[in-house]
Amino acid sequence: QSPPGSPLAAKAMRAAGLLLAWALLRPAGTQQCHLAGPAGVLRFTDMHAEIRVPALHRVPSSLDPLYGLVRRCLDLIQQNPLPTELLRAALNDPGSVRTSQVVQYELGYVVCAAVALLFTVAVPVAGMCFCYCRSRRRCGGRLRAHRRSLSCRRHCLLACLSLTSLVILISVICAFVTSQRVKGQMEPGLGAVPVTLRTLRQHIANVPQGVQMVVDQFEVPRQQIISDLGGLSRSVGLSIHAQLKAMTYVALADLQDRAGDLQTSLHHLQILDKTVRALASARAELEPALRERRRRVVALLDDPRCTSCASVLGRAQSLELGADYSKVPSVEKVLKALAGLPRSDFAEMIRQGNGTFNSIPELAVERMAQVIQDLRDEMARVTEKVQSIADGFPLPDYTRPVSEALVKAEDRSQPYLREVERFEQYRWIAGTVLCSIILLILACNVTGMALGAYGLSKREDPSDYECRGEAGAKFLLLGVGLAFLFSWLLVLLVFATFLVGGNIQTLVCRNWVNQEIYKFIDTPGNLPPSMNLTRHLNLRRNSNLSATYRECKSGAGLWEVLQLDRSYDLDEHLKTPKYTADFQKRLGDFTARLGDVRLLRSEGRQDLETFAHSGVDEVDYGRFQEEMKNPVVQTSLPGLARSLEVLQKMQRNGTVAGRLAAEAQALWQMQNSTVQSQEALVAKLGESVQFLSRLAPHLQERVKKTLATTASVEARLPVQAQQILRQEIGCFTRKELRYFAQYLNWVGQTLREDVASCQPLATALDNGRVILCDRIADPWNAFWFSLGCCTFFLIPNIIFAIRLTKHFRPIRNRLM
C-alpha cells in the first residue's frame, strides 16, 4: 500500500494518525494483544468411560412410609449399638463367645422369638381344642334363645369381622407386593456383586493402558501449538505493520507535502521573477506610446471644432501608466539559494521508505524462521517429557494385592450368592403359598358373611332352618379351620424372615449408614490378622478404611491411598514449567530488528533545510499585492475609447469625426495588444504571490516539524517495533501456555476421577449398601411385617368368625 498522493487524502491520513497517536505512543506493555486471540478450549477424547462403576441411589417408592414404620419398629426392638466386644471375640476367638452375651444383645429378638413360639404352640392347641369342642357340639353351635339385643350384637360382629378382614387384606396385598419386590431386587442385587468386583478389577488392570491413552492426548495441544507457530511470524509482522502504519504514513505524507512545497515554491518564484521582468519591460515599451496617444487625444479634444468634447478632456489628460513593478522586491537572491534544488528524488525516496515499511511482514517471516523451527523441535522434546508421566506411573507394581483380593472375594462370594439365591426362591414360594392361604381365608370370610347375611334376611322365623345361612356359617368355620391349621407356618415364616431381615437392618445397615462398621474395622485388634484389609488392599500404613473411603469418595487417585512410600507425586509431574520452560525461554530470548526504515536521506534533509533558509519567507509579498492593486493604465482605455466613439457620432465636422474614430480605434488596439497581455501577466503574478504569501509565514515551522517528525519516526520505529514484537510474542506465549495448562489440568482430573481413580472403590461400597439395605432389606422387612400383621389379626378373625356362626344358624328356642 502506498501513501496517498492527493492533499485531501494526506490530510485524512494525518487526522487518523492524530487519533491513534495516544495509543501508539503508550508503552507496549500496556497495549492489548492484537492478532493473537484468546486460547480456545481444547477438546479431549474420553476413552476410559467403559470401566466406570455406575453409582446406584435409593429410588423413592410409594412403600417408603411402610419402610420407615418397619425401621422404627426394629429400632424399638433392637436398641443396642454395634456389639464391638462381642464381634471382636467372635472374629478372633469364636470359642470364647458366651451364649448369655448373644442373648443379652439379641434380647429384643429373644422376646419376639418367645412370642412367636407361644403363638406357634398356642394357636394349634386352641384349634385342636376347638375341634374337640365342636365334635361335642359345644362350640360354634346355635343360639339357645332369641333376645332383642341379638341383632345389635350380630351387626357388631359383622362390622368387626369385616374390619379385621380388610386389615388382613391390606396386609396380605403389601406382603405380596414386597415379596415380589424382594424377588425382583434379589437377582440383580446378587448379580451386581461379581459384576462390581470384576469391574473394579478391570478398572485397576486397565490403569496403565488408560494412562497411556491420556498421555497420547498430548497430540491435541501439540497440533494446536504447531498450527499457531505456523502463523506466528506473519501475525507478528502484520501486527507491527498495523500498529505503526498510521504514524509512518503520516510522516511520509508530511514529507511528501514538504517536497511538494519545495517544487511548487520554486516554480512560483521562477514565475514571479520572470513575470516582474516581463511587466517592467512591457511598461517601458508602453510608456512612450501611451504618452504620444495622450498628446494626440488631448489636442483633438481641445480643438474648437470638436463639439461637446470638453467633458472627456479631463479623462484624456489623466491617461498615464499605473503599476510600476520595478519597485517590488527582487527574488533573485532566493532563486540563487534554491538553484539546483531539489538535488534528491523525493518521490523515489518516499517510495523506497514506504516499500521498506510495507515489507515488515515478509521480513518478520524471514527473521523468525529459525526460531519457529527450533520451537517445533522443542515440541518434539516436550512430547518425550510428557511420556514420562506414563513411564513413571507406579500403579502396576502396587495394585497386584488389590487385584488378588478382588479375585479372591469374587471366587469366595459365588457359593454364598448361589445359596442365598436358592433360599430366596424357597422364601418366595412359601410366602406366595401362605399369602394365597390367607386370601383363601379372607374369601371364606367374605363368602360366609355374604351367605349368612342373605340367609338371615330371608328367614322369617329365627328358629327356622335356612340353607344359605347354614352355608355361610360353614364357610366361616372353614376359614377358622384354615387359620388354625396354617397359622404356625405363618409364624415360623414371619419369625425366620424377621430374624434375618431385622438383624441385617439393625446390625449391618444402621451401622453402615453411620459408618460404625468402618470404625470397628479401623480399630486395631478388632479383626484377626487374616482379615487385615489395610494389608490385603496394600493401603498406606498410616491409613485406615474410613480415611481411605473418605479420600476415595472425594475423588483421590489410587496412588494416593496405596502403599507407594510417597514415591510418586502427580502434582510434581503436572507442573507446567517442567514442560514449558525451554519453550518459553526460546521465545523470550528471541530478538530481531524489524523497524529499520529510512524515510529521509541526508541529501533530502539538506534540500529541505536549504529550502527553509532560502529566504522565501523573508520576501515582502505585501508590496507585490499593493502594487497589483494599481491598474496597468490609470484611465480605462476601453472607457475612453467608447466615449470617443460617442463623441464621433455627435460631430458635425466630418474631419473631427474621422479623427475621433481613428483615436478610438487606436485606443482599442493598445488595449487589446499591450494592456491585456500585461493584465494577464499581473493575474499570473497574483497566483504565485498568493501561494507564496500563504506558504511563507509557516514555512520554517512546517519544515522544522517535518524534519523533526521524520527523525522521530525513524528513531521510534525500531524501538516500538521491538516493543510490539515482545508484546505479541508475550501474548502468543501466554496463549500457548494456556494450552499446556489445559492439557495438564485435564490429565490430573482424568487420572484422579477416571483412569486411576479410587472413587470406584467408594462407589462400590455405597452401591453395596444401596442394594443390600435399600433395595433388598427394606422390602424384605416390609414383607415379614405385612405377613406378621396378617398373622396377628387372624386371632380376632377367628374369634369374630366363631362368634358370628351362631347368628347364622336357627335359634333353638324362641322366647316371646
mmCIF file of all heavy atoms in Angstrom, residues 44-66:
data_model
loop_
_atom_site.group_PDB
_atom_site.id
_atom_site.type_symbol
_atom_site.label_atom_id
_atom_site.label_comp_id
_atom_site.label_asym_id
_atom_site.label_seq_id
_atom_site.Cartn_x
_atom_site.Cartn_y
_atom_site.Cartn_z
ATOM 1 N N PHE A 44 -10.721 -33.008 24.409
ATOM 2 C CA PHE A 44 -10.006 -34.268 24.541
ATOM 3 C C PHE A 44 -11.001 -35.425 24.475
ATOM 4 O O PHE A 44 -12.159 -35.292 24.884
ATOM 5 C CB PHE A 44 -9.236 -34.323 25.864
ATOM 6 C CG PHE A 44 -8.232 -33.218 26.018
ATOM 7 C CD1 PHE A 44 -8.511 -32.112 26.801
ATOM 8 C CD2 PHE A 44 -7.012 -33.281 25.364
ATOM 9 C CE1 PHE A 44 -7.596 -31.088 26.933
ATOM 10 C CE2 PHE A 44 -6.093 -32.257 25.484
ATOM 11 C CZ PHE A 44 -6.384 -31.164 26.277
ATOM 12 N N THR A 45 -10.530 -36.551 24.008
ATOM 13 C CA THR A 45 -11.377 -37.735 23.847
ATOM 14 C C THR A 45 -11.426 -38.513 25.153
ATOM 15 O O THR A 45 -10.388 -38.851 25.723
ATOM 16 C CB THR A 45 -10.824 -38.645 22.734
ATOM 17 O OG1 THR A 45 -10.726 -37.886 21.530
ATOM 18 C CG2 THR A 45 -11.757 -39.827 22.512
ATOM 19 N N ASP A 46 -12.644 -38.779 25.622
ATOM 20 C CA ASP A 46 -12.831 -39.582 26.830
ATOM 21 C C ASP A 46 -12.910 -41.049 26.414
ATOM 22 O O ASP A 46 -13.926 -41.518 25.920
ATOM 23 C CB ASP A 46 -14.103 -39.150 27.555
ATOM 24 C CG ASP A 46 -14.275 -39.873 28.882
ATOM 25 O OD1 ASP A 46 -13.351 -40.609 29.261
ATOM 26 O OD2 ASP A 46 -15.319 -39.689 29.522
ATOM 27 N N MET A 47 -11.788 -41.776 26.611
ATOM 28 C CA MET A 47 -11.720 -43.166 26.132
ATOM 29 C C MET A 47 -11.714 -44.165 27.282
ATOM 30 O O MET A 47 -11.379 -45.319 27.094
ATOM 31 C CB MET A 47 -10.454 -43.355 25.292
ATOM 32 C CG MET A 47 -10.408 -42.490 24.044
ATOM 33 S SD MET A 47 -8.884 -42.683 23.113
ATOM 34 C CE MET A 47 -7.733 -41.911 24.223
ATOM 35 N N HIS A 48 -12.072 -43.740 28.508
ATOM 36 C CA HIS A 48 -11.958 -44.646 29.631
ATOM 37 C C HIS A 48 -13.266 -44.803 30.396
ATOM 38 O O HIS A 48 -13.307 -45.267 31.508
ATOM 39 C CB HIS A 48 -10.888 -44.114 30.590
ATOM 40 C CG HIS A 48 -10.123 -45.205 31.292
ATOM 41 N ND1 HIS A 48 -9.365 -46.135 30.624
ATOM 42 C CD2 HIS A 48 -10.009 -45.507 32.605
ATOM 43 C CE1 HIS A 48 -8.804 -46.956 31.494
ATOM 44 N NE2 HIS A 48 -9.178 -46.599 32.701
ATOM 45 N N ALA A 49 -14.389 -44.327 29.761
ATOM 46 C CA ALA A 49 -15.653 -44.314 30.484
ATOM 47 C C ALA A 49 -16.244 -45.707 30.645
ATOM 48 O O ALA A 49 -17.077 -45.920 31.505
ATOM 49 C CB ALA A 49 -16.655 -43.416 29.762
ATOM 50 N N GLU A 50 -15.805 -46.693 29.834
ATOM 51 C CA GLU A 50 -16.465 -48.001 29.875
ATOM 52 C C GLU A 50 -16.141 -48.792 31.130
ATOM 53 O O GLU A 50 -16.777 -49.792 31.427
ATOM 54 C CB GLU A 50 -16.074 -48.814 28.640
ATOM 55 C CG GLU A 50 -14.596 -49.208 28.578
ATOM 56 C CD GLU A 50 -13.748 -48.109 27.970
ATOM 57 O OE1 GLU A 50 -14.305 -47.042 27.691
ATOM 58 O OE2 GLU A 50 -12.539 -48.340 27.786
ATOM 59 N N ILE A 51 -15.147 -48.380 31.927
ATOM 60 C CA ILE A 51 -14.787 -49.146 33.119
ATOM 61 C C ILE A 51 -15.247 -48.452 34.388
ATOM 62 O O ILE A 51 -14.799 -48.790 35.477
ATOM 63 C CB ILE A 51 -13.263 -49.385 33.174
ATOM 64 C CG1 ILE A 51 -12.528 -48.052 33.192
ATOM 65 C CG2 ILE A 51 -12.796 -50.223 32.013
ATOM 66 C CD1 ILE A 51 -11.043 -48.200 33.431
ATOM 67 N N ARG A 52 -16.114 -47.480 34.263
ATOM 68 C CA ARG A 52 -16.622 -46.815 35.450
ATOM 69 C C ARG A 52 -17.647 -47.694 36.155
ATOM 70 O O ARG A 52 -18.344 -48.475 35.528
ATOM 71 C CB ARG A 52 -17.253 -45.474 35.082
ATOM 72 C CG ARG A 52 -16.247 -44.428 34.634
ATOM 73 C CD ARG A 52 -16.939 -43.178 34.167
ATOM 74 N NE ARG A 52 -15.984 -42.169 33.719
ATOM 75 C CZ ARG A 52 -16.291 -41.108 33.027
ATOM 76 N NH1 ARG A 52 -17.542 -40.909 32.667
ATOM 77 N NH2 ARG A 52 -15.375 -40.233 32.663
ATOM 78 N N VAL A 53 -17.726 -47.518 37.485
ATOM 79 C CA VAL A 53 -18.741 -48.208 38.275
ATOM 80 C C VAL A 53 -19.912 -47.245 38.440
ATOM 81 O O VAL A 53 -19.767 -46.217 39.103
ATOM 82 C CB VAL A 53 -18.183 -48.621 39.651
ATOM 83 C CG1 VAL A 53 -19.280 -49.270 40.485
ATOM 84 C CG2 VAL A 53 -17.015 -49.577 39.473
ATOM 85 N N PRO A 54 -21.053 -47.521 37.806
ATOM 86 C CA PRO A 54 -22.175 -46.582 37.923
ATOM 87 C C PRO A 54 -22.700 -46.529 39.344
ATOM 88 O O PRO A 54 -22.882 -47.565 39.997
ATOM 89 C CB PRO A 54 -23.215 -47.149 36.958
ATOM 90 C CG PRO A 54 -22.866 -48.596 36.817
ATOM 91 C CD PRO A 54 -21.381 -48.700 36.993
ATOM 92 N N ALA A 55 -22.914 -45.338 39.852
ATOM 93 C CA ALA A 55 -23.406 -45.166 41.218
ATOM 94 C C ALA A 55 -24.904 -45.457 41.268
ATOM 95 O O ALA A 55 -25.666 -45.027 40.410
ATOM 96 C CB ALA A 55 -23.121 -43.747 41.701
ATOM 97 N N LEU A 56 -25.297 -46.226 42.283
ATOM 98 C CA LEU A 56 -26.704 -46.535 42.499
ATOM 99 C C LEU A 56 -27.248 -45.663 43.615
ATOM 100 O O LEU A 56 -26.528 -45.314 44.551
ATOM 101 C CB LEU A 56 -26.871 -48.016 42.861
ATOM 102 C CG LEU A 56 -26.347 -49.025 41.836
ATOM 103 C CD1 LEU A 56 -26.552 -50.442 42.350
ATOM 104 C CD2 LEU A 56 -27.049 -48.850 40.502
ATOM 105 N N HIS A 57 -28.510 -45.323 43.529
ATOM 106 C CA HIS A 57 -29.137 -44.474 44.534
ATOM 107 C C HIS A 57 -30.477 -45.073 44.926
ATOM 108 O O HIS A 57 -31.086 -45.842 44.181
ATOM 109 C CB HIS A 57 -29.338 -43.048 44.002
ATOM 110 C CG HIS A 57 -28.066 -42.401 43.551
ATOM 111 N ND1 HIS A 57 -27.151 -41.862 44.436
ATOM 112 C CD2 HIS A 57 -27.543 -42.226 42.309
ATOM 113 C CE1 HIS A 57 -26.132 -41.366 43.755
ATOM 114 N NE2 HIS A 57 -26.338 -41.577 42.461
ATOM 115 N N ARG A 58 -30.896 -44.729 46.111
ATOM 116 C CA ARG A 58 -32.187 -45.198 46.590
ATOM 117 C C ARG A 58 -33.297 -44.534 45.787
ATOM 118 O O ARG A 58 -33.362 -43.314 45.689
ATOM 119 C CB ARG A 58 -32.354 -44.868 48.074
ATOM 120 C CG ARG A 58 -33.574 -45.503 48.705
ATOM 121 C CD ARG A 58 -33.612 -45.204 50.203
ATOM 122 N NE ARG A 58 -34.674 -45.926 50.837
ATOM 123 C CZ ARG A 58 -35.939 -45.515 50.877
ATOM 124 N NH1 ARG A 58 -36.268 -44.388 50.282
ATOM 125 N NH2 ARG A 58 -36.865 -46.227 51.481
ATOM 126 N N VAL A 59 -34.158 -45.354 45.182
ATOM 127 C CA VAL A 59 -35.234 -44.842 44.338
ATOM 128 C C VAL A 59 -36.467 -44.607 45.206
ATOM 129 O O VAL A 59 -36.895 -45.510 45.935
ATOM 130 C CB VAL A 59 -35.562 -45.834 43.201
ATOM 131 C CG1 VAL A 59 -36.679 -45.283 42.334
ATOM 132 C CG2 VAL A 59 -34.320 -46.114 42.368
ATOM 133 N N PRO A 60 -37.036 -43.404 45.213
ATOM 134 C CA PRO A 60 -38.261 -43.167 46.005
ATOM 135 C C PRO A 60 -39.375 -44.121 45.592
ATOM 136 O O PRO A 60 -39.534 -44.449 44.420
ATOM 137 C CB PRO A 60 -38.610 -41.702 45.677
ATOM 138 C CG PRO A 60 -37.323 -41.092 45.207
ATOM 139 C CD PRO A 60 -36.573 -42.201 44.521
ATOM 140 N N SER A 61 -40.154 -44.564 46.578
ATOM 141 C CA SER A 61 -41.203 -45.555 46.314
ATOM 142 C C SER A 61 -42.437 -45.198 47.123
ATOM 143 O O SER A 61 -42.357 -44.505 48.155
ATOM 144 C CB SER A 61 -40.703 -46.960 46.675
ATOM 145 O OG SER A 61 -41.758 -47.895 46.663
ATOM 146 N N SER A 62 -43.594 -45.685 46.659
ATOM 147 C CA SER A 62 -44.847 -45.477 47.406
ATOM 148 C C SER A 62 -44.855 -46.273 48.710
ATOM 149 O O SER A 62 -45.690 -46.020 49.584
ATOM 150 C CB SER A 62 -46.039 -45.883 46.534
ATOM 151 O OG SER A 62 -45.913 -47.245 46.123
ATOM 152 N N LEU A 63 -43.936 -47.243 48.840
ATOM 153 C CA LEU A 63 -43.850 -48.046 50.071
ATOM 154 C C LEU A 63 -42.909 -47.438 51.099
ATOM 155 O O LEU A 63 -42.678 -48.055 52.147
ATOM 156 C CB LEU A 63 -43.384 -49.464 49.732
ATOM 157 C CG LEU A 63 -44.326 -50.299 48.856
ATOM 158 C CD1 LEU A 63 -43.665 -51.612 48.467
ATOM 159 C CD2 LEU A 63 -45.642 -50.558 49.576
ATOM 160 N N ASP A 64 -42.340 -46.258 50.825
ATOM 161 C CA ASP A 64 -41.396 -45.650 51.767
ATOM 162 C C ASP A 64 -42.005 -45.434 53.154
ATOM 163 O O ASP A 64 -41.312 -45.655 54.165
ATOM 164 C CB ASP A 64 -40.869 -44.320 51.203
ATOM 165 C CG ASP A 64 -39.867 -44.542 50.081
ATOM 166 O OD1 ASP A 64 -39.400 -45.681 49.930
ATOM 167 O OD2 ASP A 64 -39.551 -43.574 49.347
ATOM 168 N N PRO A 65 -43.283 -45.002 53.284
ATOM 169 C CA PRO A 65 -43.857 -44.899 54.652
ATOM 170 C C PRO A 65 -43.857 -46.236 55.383
ATOM 171 O O PRO A 65 -43.581 -46.280 56.587
ATOM 172 C CB PRO A 65 -45.278 -44.384 54.395
ATOM 173 C CG PRO A 65 -45.198 -43.671 53.082
ATOM 174 C CD PRO A 65 -44.199 -44.451 52.276
ATOM 175 N N LEU A 66 -44.149 -47.331 54.661
ATOM 176 C CA LEU A 66 -44.127 -48.652 55.286
ATOM 177 C C LEU A 66 -42.706 -49.017 55.707
ATOM 178 O O LEU A 66 -42.481 -49.541 56.817
ATOM 179 C CB LEU A 66 -44.688 -49.687 54.321
ATOM 180 C CG LEU A 66 -44.679 -51.139 54.795
ATOM 181 C CD1 LEU A 66 -45.513 -51.301 56.063
ATOM 182 C CD2 LEU A 66 -45.188 -52.072 53.700
#
